[in-house]
Amino acid sequence: MKSFLKDNPIFALSLGLCSALAVTTTFEKAYMMGLSVLFVLLFSNIFVSLIRKHVSTSIQIPVFILIIGTFVTILSLLLERFMPSLYDSLGVYLSLITVNCIVLGRALAFASKNSVGKSIADAFKIGIGYTIAMMLIGLVRELFGSNTLTFMNDISALTGYRLVFKNVLPFSLSILATPAGAFITIGILTAIFNFIRSKYESN
Amino acid sequence: MNLINLFVSGVLSENIVLTKFLGICPFMGTSNKTKDAIGMSLAVTIVTTLSSIITYLLYNYVLVPTNSVYLKTIMFIFVIACMVQILLIIIKNKFKKLYQSLGIYLPLITTNCAVLGITLLNVNSGYSFMQMLVYTLSSCLGFSIVLCIFSSIRENLSEDIPKSFKGYPIAFITAGIMALIFGRLI
Amino acid sequence: MGPFIKSSNKTSRMMFNLLIALTPIILFTVYKHGYIPYTHGQVDVFGIFYPLLFVLIGSLTTFIIELLYYLIIKRTDEFKTSYGFFPGLFLALILPIKTPIYVLLVGCLVASLSKIVFGGFGRNIFNPALIGYIFVVATFSFVFSTSYYEVDTVSKATPLTNASMVSGIGTYDELVKPYGDLLDFFIGTTPGSLAETSTLLCLLAFIYLTCTKTIKWRISLSYISTVFLITFGISRLLGVGLYYPLFHILSGGLVFGAVFMATDPVTSAATTTGQIFQGILLGILTCILRFTTTEGVATSILIMNMFVFILDKMGSRVRFNSYACLPWVVLVCFMIIVSMFVLASKKRVVAEKDPNFNIVNKEVTDNKTIYTATQKGYGGNIKADVVIENGKIVSVEIISHNETKDRYQSVTDANYINKLIEGQDNLKNVDTVSGATVTSTSLRKLLINVMEDFH
Amino acid sequence: MKIKIDKHKLTDDKIMYYNKPEVVYIPLISGNDTDITILVKKGEYVYKGGIIAKRKGDLRIPIYSSISGIVLDFEEKTCFNGTKVKCVAIKNDFKEAMDKKLTIKKNINKYTKEEFISILKDSGIIGLGGAGFPTYIKYEGTKAKTLIVNAVECEPYITADDILAKKRCEEILETIDAILEINGMEKAIIVIKENNVELKNIFDDYIGTYLKISLKTVKNYYPAGWERNLIKDATGLEYDRLPLEVGVIVNNISTIYAIYDALKYGKPLSERIVTFSGEGIKNPTNILVKVGTPVKDILSQLKIEDDHILISGGPMMGIKVDNDLVLSANQNSILLLKPLNCKETQCIRCGKCIEVCPAKLSPVLIMKAVNSKNVDIEQLRKLHPEKCIECGLCSYICPACISIRDAITKAKKMVKEVK
């Protein structure tokens, strides 16, 4: 709870916003994006940590970006093969994980200075915090915006199950599904988050 | 007419910041002062335009013929990173004054998702060269306009905002309202 | 420290003046949306005062929300000077009278929140009432369908929706005639939201508010004149009469927006030059938006809210150096001229695909084509069979409809279908049936769409 | 936009005298400068017009005693600008003894320029309009061609200059003529308010014989008496920093009369007319007082009401002071006003302060900039707060009762400090 409140990449640090805003129209897309970032973050952290002693600081950024880019490419090839519809709906935002500030930020700030084990732990801590935040945003936006809840639809190509609820609520605020709604949802959630955190910290 | 439509929608209704959420990091992070916003948007425009042309050519004349389209992300980011470095060196040596005003913004651009995003969108949408150019320029213009407006608003936000909303939340909400308004401009 | 004397024009006084200026407009809505329907037996005695109640609910809602907020944060003294009822009042005035109350309440909630979130009165960046308005537009778009503007005995589209239905640039008969003449526009008996139509009262309010130094008159003046300039230019370019610019000024709540909404002190430019440019840009935006969407005033005011600080920066420099506004002057002139020519050239034909039109079936045999098509009417889809022989409509048969009995009756009474068949060479010029404007317009549009598909 | 402010009680048309103070306290201040060398000792006898102190530095101008008597002590008293200033307390012996005889010069235009300057210096003539800046500096070595005489009292309540002009019209015209002749200047313009018909008629009666002097009426607004406005209204000229750039010298009408005294009688500046007005004074009036007279003494002679605040200067630019105030030469009015009952509310960006600002500033923007958490000095500098003349119109007009002028003064300081 404490690390979720303190180091949450979206709500506390406001990093990786691009995907948090763009692909949170459905719950499924949101958590799949979170998991994708976790995947890239994990492997890039491992590799960066492994080669950290052989890279001088001056070329750190390009090298790290190339490492991250490689894993993003691997990830997109995997998704394209196994979950083509998800790959389509994530679209360009999947490639944009390459320049996601969270991944590069952790590589620079943590993995390049710490051992592999610690880097893995860090990747999980940050990645899971990110995924939870994404799930939260996706939940709010889909439930209130489109009045549906998609747990499994695009990924059914892999799992074979579909789990979609429709007309969950008696009303819907379609605005939340729009780009404007994305900003407003994150704004309000961040405010609530700040509120909880200040209460938590004062205790 | 088609190009004009593309241009107008690129600036307004398809604004990369407000509808595609590209370049959000500088949008939220560096845009507290109008001066910074102008510098940032200039730097982004230059880098994006140049790298769009190069990546477009690279994609259509190298990656597609060699059947290695899947490498686009990594190739593009490589091009952008090189572009930023080269520009930095050129500006540093030739245009001292420009370097002083733009120098601090350029390194940040490598990790600006607007640049990579626009180059990827260009090839994904299958634009012709002219369309690509128009789309890139209109996106950059859209980015600059929104960035300048947003920074001028943030500069003037009151100190009396409810405590929980201070900082990022109010910025998000402002951006949301802006997106709502821009969305009406179809 | 000094000064030890103060001008008597306090904020409270300004707000009071605003209220005084709004009173006749509110009373007029009682007449227009309460009394006239009452005389036609559409509403009971209670219905006369419904507009008043509507406005009251709106203002009370925002008032109560702000009261609650200040109670929670324990700064009640600030509440006294926050004028919480204004956003709701304005929001109620710019909504159609038939808006369901829950929609009004949600709108008011959003309006209040958009004010509170920025720190309350005087700190908001965007006009709260208009934020509430576009939220309602985005979320409950059905409110703005024609039927919610019902006034008089007849349900009519608002002049602007009508204008955009016919074409961007219409003739006098298309634009003005269905609603009477320009005087009716001026006095404000044309359909529209609560306050948006009584131009006369708005002008009186403008004079009052300017004399009492309550509003930034430069914005209203430059706004209205720019709209006039552009539409006048368009009318010259197309060779249509003076009715065209006047129609644009008198419809769509432009004057109400220019006098009350655009001049909201908090969300408009503080510098004089900034105010003038704000007005001019508002005018340009409104004209452009009217040709691309149906409504332009609210959106353009909100857009200009974003530019206020940039305009003020320019305005403060112009005070020392008049040349500082040169780029803006060039920009504005360029925009005016370009928008004039582009809009004039954009003689909008009916949208290529009418979303309310649907072809159910199409049979082609030799020189005979039978269409089964639907068009949205007043109460739902009107389904009809249209037979075309040798490129001419020979028969139209209505299969099903959801129109009210009266309306449908008046269409059949007027033998409207035959009139349409007779005037098929120029369908747009066939007059609609008074008392069933929407139904008859839909029928006409059905035929227009069918013919378009046929060609 | 020009603001008219004249809803106030006017003084009657008389000059009262209060020339028998028991003790005077001569404030050791010149302009805003208090770095002054005292030339007398405790217990020493001083003559009326005797030099008791001298200002240090370049702008040497003496400070005179306004009465004859014995120096009692040096005391801190409140001065016109609200600060506590060291004063020389002199006990009046009511003899009005002078150390030299008054010489009456018949033709005051027979001086050379050098003599004129030295008389101005020796008589301690300072600008009596408010700033208290030594007058001789304006004339020393200038090539100005036009003299503008400021008889526009734009602040409400104050009529001291007006009454002086009415009573001493001939002397004033004579002095202006002499100044023109001595300094080889071409013309003089006396500027008065257009609604002051009475004064205009009086001048019209006498002005005919002076060909170089003309009368100009200006609209009644605040601040019509500000140098920049005055010159623009009178001659149409605009300047960048100092009026001398366009060959203009501006003198207040009471300064002119002080020059007359100096030229005619060699009398140093030791008394002046002060307006006592405001709601707190039952019959507002103008009183001729000696420099250094404690205000308490004068107020005790007038019918006054309690619960009013004492203001040194006009209602717009004046300063709230305690009643320990002593009068100095550049004090033109003492007001007793009701305290303002006005609670500051939120700024609504109505833009009224921008409309009224005579210095073309954008007060609300400056206020926002200076009150923000981290002030951007560069941005602030672009708004030019240093151009503020502190006329107070922005605070006057503000519907939210915000003291905008104070914020701008703060910005002014900030811009000056951070170079």
PDB file of all heavy atoms in Angstrom, chain B residues 5 13 17 49 55 57 64 66 70 83 92 99 109 115 127 133 136 140 142 156 167-168 182:
ATOM      1  N   ASN B   5      -8.008  19.693 -45.609  1.00  0.00           N
ATOM      2  CA  ASN B   5      -8.769  18.993 -44.578  1.00  0.00           C
ATOM      3  C   ASN B   5      -7.845  18.268 -43.601  1.00  0.00           C
ATOM      4  O   ASN B   5      -8.034  18.318 -42.391  1.00  0.00           O
ATOM      5  CB  ASN B   5      -9.707  17.963 -45.218  1.00  0.00           C
ATOM      6  CG  ASN B   5     -10.998  18.615 -45.644  1.00  0.00           C
ATOM      7  OD1 ASN B   5     -11.265  19.742 -45.232  1.00  0.00           O
ATOM      8  ND2 ASN B   5     -11.760  17.939 -46.473  1.00  0.00           N
ATOM      9  N   SER B  13      -9.192  18.936 -34.693  1.00  0.00           N
ATOM     10  CA  SER B  13     -10.004  17.831 -34.185  1.00  0.00           C
ATOM     11  C   SER B  13      -9.179  16.570 -33.948  1.00  0.00           C
ATOM     12  O   SER B  13      -9.560  15.716 -33.176  1.00  0.00           O
ATOM     13  CB  SER B  13     -11.162  17.550 -35.135  1.00  0.00           C
ATOM     14  OG  SER B  13     -10.680  17.369 -36.435  1.00  0.00           O
ATOM     15  N   VAL B  17      -1.999  16.074 -29.094  1.00  0.00           N
ATOM     16  CA  VAL B  17      -1.941  16.074 -27.630  1.00  0.00           C
ATOM     17  C   VAL B  17      -3.296  15.738 -27.042  1.00  0.00           C
ATOM     18  O   VAL B  17      -3.417  14.900 -26.159  1.00  0.00           O
ATOM     19  CB  VAL B  17      -1.470  17.447 -27.102  1.00  0.00           C
ATOM     20  CG1 VAL B  17      -1.403  17.419 -25.591  1.00  0.00           C
ATOM     21  CG2 VAL B  17      -0.136  17.801 -27.678  1.00  0.00           C
ATOM     22  N   THR B  49       9.800  17.143 -37.940  1.00  0.00           N
ATOM     23  CA  THR B  49       9.738  17.271 -39.387  1.00  0.00           C
ATOM     24  C   THR B  49      10.898  16.531 -40.044  1.00  0.00           C
ATOM     25  O   THR B  49      10.695  15.750 -40.978  1.00  0.00           O
ATOM     26  CB  THR B  49       9.774  18.757 -39.775  1.00  0.00           C
ATOM     27  OG1 THR B  49       8.879  19.458 -38.937  1.00  0.00           O
ATOM     28  CG2 THR B  49       9.390  18.943 -41.219  1.00  0.00           C
ATOM     29  N   THR B  55      12.467   8.948 -41.670  1.00  0.00           N
ATOM     30  CA  THR B  55      11.869   7.647 -41.368  1.00  0.00           C
ATOM     31  C   THR B  55      10.920   7.216 -42.478  1.00  0.00           C
ATOM     32  O   THR B  55      10.813   6.023 -42.777  1.00  0.00           O
ATOM     33  CB  THR B  55      11.097   7.681 -40.037  1.00  0.00           C
ATOM     34  OG1 THR B  55      10.175   8.755 -40.065  1.00  0.00           O
ATOM     35  CG2 THR B  55      12.032   7.810 -38.865  1.00  0.00           C
ATOM     36  N   LEU B  57      11.231   7.833 -45.673  1.00  0.00           N
ATOM     37  CA  LEU B  57      12.039   7.282 -46.754  1.00  0.00           C
ATOM     38  C   LEU B  57      12.609   5.929 -46.342  1.00  0.00           C
ATOM     39  O   LEU B  57      12.574   4.959 -47.097  1.00  0.00           O
ATOM     40  CB  LEU B  57      13.167   8.253 -47.108  1.00  0.00           C
ATOM     41  CG  LEU B  57      12.682   9.611 -47.632  1.00  0.00           C
ATOM     42  CD1 LEU B  57      13.860  10.531 -47.871  1.00  0.00           C
ATOM     43  CD2 LEU B  57      11.870   9.441 -48.908  1.00  0.00           C
ATOM     44  N   VAL B  64      10.397  -1.771 -46.189  1.00  0.00           N
ATOM     45  CA  VAL B  64       9.376  -2.506 -46.934  1.00  0.00           C
ATOM     46  C   VAL B  64      10.003  -3.444 -47.974  1.00  0.00           C
ATOM     47  O   VAL B  64       9.670  -4.630 -48.005  1.00  0.00           O
ATOM     48  CB  VAL B  64       8.358  -1.530 -47.580  1.00  0.00           C
ATOM     49  CG1 VAL B  64       7.397  -2.273 -48.483  1.00  0.00           C
ATOM     50  CG2 VAL B  64       7.601  -0.792 -46.493  1.00  0.00           C
ATOM     51  N   THR B  66      12.907  -4.811 -47.989  1.00  0.00           N
ATOM     52  CA  THR B  66      13.651  -5.914 -47.379  1.00  0.00           C
ATOM     53  C   THR B  66      12.777  -6.749 -46.462  1.00  0.00           C
ATOM     54  O   THR B  66      13.267  -7.628 -45.760  1.00  0.00           O
ATOM     55  CB  THR B  66      14.836  -5.393 -46.565  1.00  0.00           C
ATOM     56  OG1 THR B  66      14.334  -4.438 -45.620  1.00  0.00           O
ATOM     57  CG2 THR B  66      15.866  -4.748 -47.447  1.00  0.00           C
ATOM     58  N   TYR B  70       8.825  -5.101 -39.251  1.00  0.00           N
ATOM     59  CA  TYR B  70       8.720  -5.246 -37.804  1.00  0.00           C
ATOM     60  C   TYR B  70       9.837  -4.504 -37.067  1.00  0.00           C
ATOM     61  O   TYR B  70       9.747  -4.263 -35.875  1.00  0.00           O
ATOM     62  CB  TYR B  70       8.723  -6.729 -37.411  1.00  0.00           C
ATOM     63  CG  TYR B  70       9.991  -7.475 -37.787  1.00  0.00           C
ATOM     64  CD1 TYR B  70      11.047  -7.534 -36.880  1.00  0.00           C
ATOM     65  CD2 TYR B  70      10.133  -8.083 -39.028  1.00  0.00           C
ATOM     66  CE1 TYR B  70      12.218  -8.196 -37.226  1.00  0.00           C
ATOM     67  CE2 TYR B  70      11.285  -8.738 -39.380  1.00  0.00           C
ATOM     68  CZ  TYR B  70      12.338  -8.800 -38.466  1.00  0.00           C
ATOM     69  OH  TYR B  70      13.483  -9.430 -38.797  1.00  0.00           O
ATOM     70  N   MET B  83      19.249  11.918 -34.889  1.00  0.00           N
ATOM     71  CA  MET B  83      18.838  13.235 -35.361  1.00  0.00           C
ATOM     72  C   MET B  83      19.029  14.283 -34.275  1.00  0.00           C
ATOM     73  O   MET B  83      19.581  15.357 -34.510  1.00  0.00           O
ATOM     74  CB  MET B  83      17.359  13.146 -35.746  1.00  0.00           C
ATOM     75  CG  MET B  83      16.802  14.383 -36.323  1.00  0.00           C
ATOM     76  SD  MET B  83      17.648  14.795 -37.798  1.00  0.00           S
ATOM     77  CE  MET B  83      16.828  13.799 -38.886  1.00  0.00           C
ATOM     78  N   LYS B  92      24.944  23.760 -31.720  1.00  0.00           N
ATOM     79  CA  LYS B  92      25.944  24.170 -30.741  1.00  0.00           C
ATOM     80  C   LYS B  92      27.096  24.916 -31.422  1.00  0.00           C
ATOM     81  O   LYS B  92      27.580  25.927 -30.915  1.00  0.00           O
ATOM     82  CB  LYS B  92      26.496  22.927 -30.035  1.00  0.00           C
ATOM     83  CG  LYS B  92      27.039  23.189 -28.650  1.00  0.00           C
ATOM     84  CD  LYS B  92      27.365  21.853 -28.027  1.00  0.00           C
ATOM     85  CE  LYS B  92      27.803  22.002 -26.584  1.00  0.00           C
ATOM     86  NZ  LYS B  92      27.967  20.685 -25.970  1.00  0.00           N
ATOM     87  N   TYR B  99      21.183  27.896 -29.714  1.00  0.00           N
ATOM     88  CA  TYR B  99      21.531  26.843 -28.763  1.00  0.00           C
ATOM     89  C   TYR B  99      21.165  27.264 -27.349  1.00  0.00           C
ATOM     90  O   TYR B  99      20.663  26.471 -26.556  1.00  0.00           O
ATOM     91  CB  TYR B  99      23.020  26.529 -28.860  1.00  0.00           C
ATOM     92  CG  TYR B  99      23.435  25.435 -27.899  1.00  0.00           C
ATOM     93  CD1 TYR B  99      23.075  24.117 -28.135  1.00  0.00           C
ATOM     94  CD2 TYR B  99      24.160  25.730 -26.745  1.00  0.00           C
ATOM     95  CE1 TYR B  99      23.432  23.120 -27.265  1.00  0.00           C
ATOM     96  CE2 TYR B  99      24.518  24.729 -25.863  1.00  0.00           C
ATOM     97  CZ  TYR B  99      24.153  23.432 -26.126  1.00  0.00           C
ATOM     98  OH  TYR B  99      24.496  22.440 -25.254  1.00  0.00           O
ATOM     99  N   ILE B 109      13.901  15.582 -26.225  1.00  0.00           N
ATOM    100  CA  ILE B 109      12.985  15.207 -27.291  1.00  0.00           C
ATOM    101  C   ILE B 109      13.097  13.743 -27.674  1.00  0.00           C
ATOM    102  O   ILE B 109      12.119  13.127 -28.091  1.00  0.00           O
ATOM    103  CB  ILE B 109      13.229  16.126 -28.493  1.00  0.00           C
ATOM    104  CG1 ILE B 109      12.669  17.491 -28.150  1.00  0.00           C
ATOM    105  CG2 ILE B 109      12.557  15.618 -29.732  1.00  0.00           C
ATOM    106  CD1 ILE B 109      12.902  18.489 -29.186  1.00  0.00           C
ATOM    107  N   VAL B 115       7.279  12.635 -31.074  1.00  0.00           N
ATOM    108  CA  VAL B 115       8.118  12.460 -32.260  1.00  0.00           C
ATOM    109  C   VAL B 115       7.983  11.038 -32.803  1.00  0.00           C
ATOM    110  O   VAL B 115       7.646  10.835 -33.974  1.00  0.00           O
ATOM    111  CB  VAL B 115       9.590  12.775 -31.923  1.00  0.00           C
ATOM    112  CG1 VAL B 115      10.424  12.747 -33.172  1.00  0.00           C
ATOM    113  CG2 VAL B 115       9.700  14.129 -31.253  1.00  0.00           C
ATOM    114  N   TYR B 127       0.291   7.225 -45.651  1.00  0.00           N
ATOM    115  CA  TYR B 127       0.201   8.503 -46.346  1.00  0.00           C
ATOM    116  C   TYR B 127       1.176   8.554 -47.512  1.00  0.00           C
ATOM    117  O   TYR B 127       2.223   7.903 -47.500  1.00  0.00           O
ATOM    118  CB  TYR B 127       0.546   9.647 -45.388  1.00  0.00           C
ATOM    119  CG  TYR B 127      -0.518   9.956 -44.370  1.00  0.00           C
ATOM    120  CD1 TYR B 127      -0.183  10.252 -43.054  1.00  0.00           C
ATOM    121  CD2 TYR B 127      -1.866   9.969 -44.720  1.00  0.00           C
ATOM    122  CE1 TYR B 127      -1.156  10.534 -42.108  1.00  0.00           C
ATOM    123  CE2 TYR B 127      -2.832  10.251 -43.795  1.00  0.00           C
ATOM    124  CZ  TYR B 127      -2.475  10.527 -42.487  1.00  0.00           C
ATOM    125  OH  TYR B 127      -3.436  10.821 -41.566  1.00  0.00           O
ATOM    126  N   LEU B 133       3.937  14.958 -45.126  1.00  0.00           N
ATOM    127  CA  LEU B 133       4.523  16.247 -44.768  1.00  0.00           C
ATOM    128  C   LEU B 133       3.467  17.163 -44.131  1.00  0.00           C
ATOM    129  O   LEU B 133       3.692  17.771 -43.090  1.00  0.00           O
ATOM    130  CB  LEU B 133       5.094  16.899 -46.033  1.00  0.00           C
ATOM    131  CG  LEU B 133       6.344  17.730 -45.837  1.00  0.00           C
ATOM    132  CD1 LEU B 133       7.426  16.909 -45.181  1.00  0.00           C
ATOM    133  CD2 LEU B 133       6.816  18.272 -47.172  1.00  0.00           C
ATOM    134  N   THR B 136       2.494  15.892 -40.685  1.00  0.00           N
ATOM    135  CA  THR B 136       3.530  16.164 -39.694  1.00  0.00           C
ATOM    136  C   THR B 136       3.503  17.627 -39.274  1.00  0.00           C
ATOM    137  O   THR B 136       3.495  17.946 -38.081  1.00  0.00           O
ATOM    138  CB  THR B 136       4.915  15.836 -40.280  1.00  0.00           C
ATOM    139  OG1 THR B 136       4.877  14.527 -40.794  1.00  0.00           O
ATOM    140  CG2 THR B 136       5.982  15.953 -39.232  1.00  0.00           C
ATOM    141  N   CYS B 140       2.536  19.167 -35.618  1.00  0.00           N
ATOM    142  CA  CYS B 140       3.465  19.984 -34.840  1.00  0.00           C
ATOM    143  C   CYS B 140       2.847  21.323 -34.499  1.00  0.00           C
ATOM    144  O   CYS B 140       2.992  21.828 -33.385  1.00  0.00           O
ATOM    145  CB  CYS B 140       4.760  20.202 -35.601  1.00  0.00           C
ATOM    146  SG  CYS B 140       5.678  18.705 -35.816  1.00  0.00           S
ATOM    147  N   GLY B 142      -0.347  21.882 -34.203  1.00  0.00           N
ATOM    148  CA  GLY B 142      -1.342  21.598 -33.178  1.00  0.00           C
ATOM    149  C   GLY B 142      -0.693  21.449 -31.811  1.00  0.00           C
ATOM    150  O   GLY B 142      -1.162  21.998 -30.819  1.00  0.00           O
ATOM    151  N   ASN B 156      -1.275  31.034 -15.017  1.00  0.00           N
ATOM    152  CA  ASN B 156      -2.232  31.920 -14.371  1.00  0.00           C
ATOM    153  C   ASN B 156      -3.212  31.208 -13.460  1.00  0.00           C
ATOM    154  O   ASN B 156      -4.190  31.798 -13.039  1.00  0.00           O
ATOM    155  CB  ASN B 156      -3.002  32.704 -15.434  1.00  0.00           C
ATOM    156  CG  ASN B 156      -2.143  33.781 -16.033  1.00  0.00           C
ATOM    157  OD1 ASN B 156      -1.915  34.812 -15.433  1.00  0.00           O
ATOM    158  ND2 ASN B 156      -1.607  33.528 -17.210  1.00  0.00           N
ATOM    159  N   GLY B 167      -1.450  21.033  -8.709  1.00  0.00           N
ATOM    160  CA  GLY B 167      -0.429  20.344  -9.502  1.00  0.00           C
ATOM    161  C   GLY B 167      -1.029  19.594 -10.674  1.00  0.00           C
ATOM    162  O   GLY B 167      -1.765  20.156 -11.463  1.00  0.00           O
ATOM    163  N   TYR B 168      -0.749  18.293 -10.732  1.00  0.00           N
ATOM    164  CA  TYR B 168      -1.179  17.523 -11.900  1.00  0.00           C
ATOM    165  C   TYR B 168      -2.687  17.424 -12.063  1.00  0.00           C
ATOM    166  O   TYR B 168      -3.184  17.590 -13.172  1.00  0.00           O
ATOM    167  CB  TYR B 168      -0.563  16.124 -11.870  1.00  0.00           C
ATOM    168  CG  TYR B 168       0.881  16.110 -12.246  1.00  0.00           C
ATOM    169  CD1 TYR B 168       1.870  15.823 -11.325  1.00  0.00           C
ATOM    170  CD2 TYR B 168       1.259  16.415 -13.552  1.00  0.00           C
ATOM    171  CE1 TYR B 168       3.209  15.830 -11.685  1.00  0.00           C
ATOM    172  CE2 TYR B 168       2.592  16.435 -13.912  1.00  0.00           C
ATOM    173  CZ  TYR B 168       3.565  16.133 -12.974  1.00  0.00           C
ATOM    174  OH  TYR B 168       4.867  16.145 -13.343  1.00  0.00           O
ATOM    175  N   PHE B 182     -11.943  21.345 -27.973  1.00  0.00           N
ATOM    176  CA  PHE B 182     -11.367  21.044 -29.292  1.00  0.00           C
ATOM    177  C   PHE B 182     -12.187  19.974 -30.002  1.00  0.00           C
ATOM    178  O   PHE B 182     -12.273  19.960 -31.219  1.00  0.00           O
ATOM    179  CB  PHE B 182      -9.908  20.585 -29.146  1.00  0.00           C
ATOM    180  CG  PHE B 182      -8.927  21.710 -29.219  1.00  0.00           C
ATOM    181  CD1 PHE B 182      -8.830  22.618 -28.193  1.00  0.00           C
ATOM    182  CD2 PHE B 182      -8.128  21.877 -30.328  1.00  0.00           C
ATOM    183  CE1 PHE B 182      -7.939  23.663 -28.257  1.00  0.00           C
ATOM    184  CE2 PHE B 182      -7.229  22.931 -30.405  1.00  0.00           C
ATOM    185  CZ  PHE B 182      -7.142  23.827 -29.372  1.00  0.00           C
TER     186      PHE B 182
END
